[in-house]
């Protein structure tokens, strides 16, 4: 075997050294650089998520404030609905209305309950939104000439507002609510019946008189008993609209 010259040995030594550097130094460094690049990208991704989470956390006070605003504006509506009452509770509640001075002639009530309240089973029903739609006879003619869509506003701003409100209200869906009825026989004068209906409305609760069946529309005009002149008995049906009272939001568990 031919011996290597000094020059060839030097070249071989340099080659081996380079191979060692490439295999044991340069190649691992390349892998480390690749890992470093990946880690940097992961750090960027984590920072994006971190910043987004911080942004959402910073929004929590505003979100809680908005929730409380909705709660404060909504609880007044839920308070307008009555709580569910049993027969004796309905009787007591209505009697408190009947005892008001406007329904009493000084000696006895001009309207009073005759009999027991007959309560139906509660059912789930829909409660629609009441709104008024103006009837504009000339609107089709106006609409045909309304090129820019603002003629009605310019012609009659108040009417345009009413129409816009009616359109917004008609898009609202009826709400589900608990409904039950209670029927009772009562004795009343014509005036006290009208006053009683007004008093029920003034309570601003979810109780409404849905029907009144008057037995004697002459209100005792030809009754031989003078104590019955001006009076009639009749059947009055009450509608009770009930919903759960809205609970106040609690945020402590979320913090």
């Amino acid at each position: 075997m031919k011996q290597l010259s000094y020059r060839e040995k030097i070249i071989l030594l340099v080659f081996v050294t380079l191979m060692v550097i490439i295999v044991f130094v340069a190649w691992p460094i390349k892998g480390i650089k690749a890992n470093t690049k990946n880690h940097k990208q992961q750090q960027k991704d984590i920072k994006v998520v971190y910043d987004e989470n911080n942004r959402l956390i910073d929004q929590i006070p505003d979100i809680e404030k908005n929730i409380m605003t909705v709660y404060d504006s909504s609880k007044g509506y839920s308070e307008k609905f009555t709580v569910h009452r049993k027969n004796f509770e309905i009787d007591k509640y209505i009697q408190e209305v009947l005892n008001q001075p406007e329904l009493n002639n000084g000696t006895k009530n001009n309207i009073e309950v005759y009999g027991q309240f007959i309560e139906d089973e509660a059912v789930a029903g829909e409660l629609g939104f009441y709104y008024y739609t103006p009837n504009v006879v000339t609107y089709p003619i106006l609409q045909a000439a309304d090129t820019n869509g603002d003629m009605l506003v310019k012609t009659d701003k108040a009417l345009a507002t009413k129409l816009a409100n009616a359109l917004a209200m008609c898009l609202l869906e009826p709400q589900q609510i608990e409904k039950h009825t209670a029927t009772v026989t009562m004795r009343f004068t014509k005036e006290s019946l009208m006053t009683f209906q007004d008093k029920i409305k003034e309570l601003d609760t979810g109780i409404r008189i849905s029907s009144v069946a008057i037995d004697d529309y002459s209100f005792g005009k030809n009754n031989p008993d003078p104590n019955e002149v001006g009076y009639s008995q009749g059947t009055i049906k009450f509608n009770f609209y009930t919903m759960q009272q809205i609970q106040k939001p609690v945020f402590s568990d979320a913090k």
Side-chain angles (χ1 to χ4, degrees):
M1 181 177 179
K2 181 181 177 180
Q3 291 186 346
L4 298 175
S5 66
Y6 178 77
R7 183 172 178 275
E8 289 174 337
K9 289 180 180 180
I10 295 299
I11 293 173
L12 180 61
L13 179 61
V14 171
F15 176 76
V16 171
T17 303
L18 289 175
M19 291 300 298
V20 171
I21 292 173
I22 291 173
V23 173
F24 294 101
V25 179
W27 187 261
I29 289 175
K30 183 179 180 181
I32 292 172
K33 285 184 176 180
N35 289 336
T36 301
K37 184 178 181 181
N38 290 336
H39 290 159
K40 287 182 177 179
Q41 184 59 46
Q42 289 176 359
Q43 287 180 339
K44 290 181 180 179
D45 295 340
I46 292 173
K47 189 176 185 306
V48 170
V49 176
Y50 175 78
D51 292 341
E52 176 64 15
N53 288 338
N54 279 337
R55 186 185 68 81
L56 295 175
I57 291 172
D58 291 339
Q59 289 181 350
I60 289 177
D62 292 332
I63 294 173
E64 291 181 354
K65 183 179 179 180
N66 292 336
I67 292 174
M68 288 304 301
T69 299
V70 173
Y71 165 75
D72 290 336
S73 62
S74 301
K75 67 178 181 179
Y77 292 108
S78 65
E79 290 171 354
K80 292 181 182 296
F81 293 91
T82 182
V83 297
H84 189 92
R85 292 181 173 87
K86 297 181 179 179
N87 284 14
F88 69 93
E89 294 173 324
I90 294 175
D91 191 1
K92 180 180 178 182
Y93 182 81
I94 296 298
Q95 196 61 51
E96 291 175 356
V97 181
L98 297 177
N99 289 335
Q100 296 186 34
E102 295 89 337
L103 297 172
N104 193 296
N105 64 5
T107 57
K108 62 178 180 179
N109 286 354
N110 286 331
I111 179 170
E112 51 191 343
V113 175
Y114 268 37
Q116 184 179 5
F117 279 88
I118 301 174
E119 185 180 8
D120 295 335
E121 291 292 331
V123 296
E126 288 189 345
L127 186 64
F129 293 89
Y130 175 80
Y131 59 93
Y132 165 70
T133 303
N135 182 22
V136 186
V137 178
T138 60
Y139 184 72
I141 301 173
L142 181 64
Q143 188 178 31
D146 192 3
T147 305
N148 299 317
D150 59 355
M151 184 175 289
L152 182 59
V153 176
K154 293 179 179 179
T155 305
D156 191 335
K157 188 175 181 179
L159 181 59
T161 302
K162 291 180 181 179
L163 285 173
N165 290 339
L167 178 61
M169 293 296 292
C170 76
L171 296 177
L172 296 176
E173 295 183 0
Q175 302 299 301
Q176 289 289 324
I177 196 168
E178 179 186 317
K179 174 185 175 183
H180 68 282
T181 62
T183 306
V184 68
T185 299
M186 303 184 74
R187 177 178 178 270
F188 44 77
T189 64
K190 185 186 299 184
E191 293 77 13
S192 64
L193 176 61
M194 301 300 292
T195 303
F196 177 64
Q197 290 178 311
D198 292 337
K199 290 297 178 182
I200 291 293
K201 292 179 182 178
E202 289 174 6
L203 294 175
D204 202 20
T205 59
I207 303 175
R208 291 292 181 267
I209 295 176
S210 60
S211 66
V212 178
I214 300 174
D215 295 345
D216 181 6
Y217 284 94
S218 71
F219 286 88
K221 181 179 180 181
N222 300 318
N223 198 310
D225 186 353
N227 293 324
E228 294 300 322
V229 175
Y231 287 90
S232 175
Q233 291 189 23
T235 303
I236 299 180
K237 178 179 287 187
F238 298 86
N239 280 351
F240 293 82
Y241 299 97
T242 306
M243 69 178 299
Q244 289 295 121
Q245 298 299 307
I246 299 175
Q247 289 186 328
K248 186 175 182 178
V250 178
F251 303 110
S252 58
D253 295 337
K255 294 181 179 180

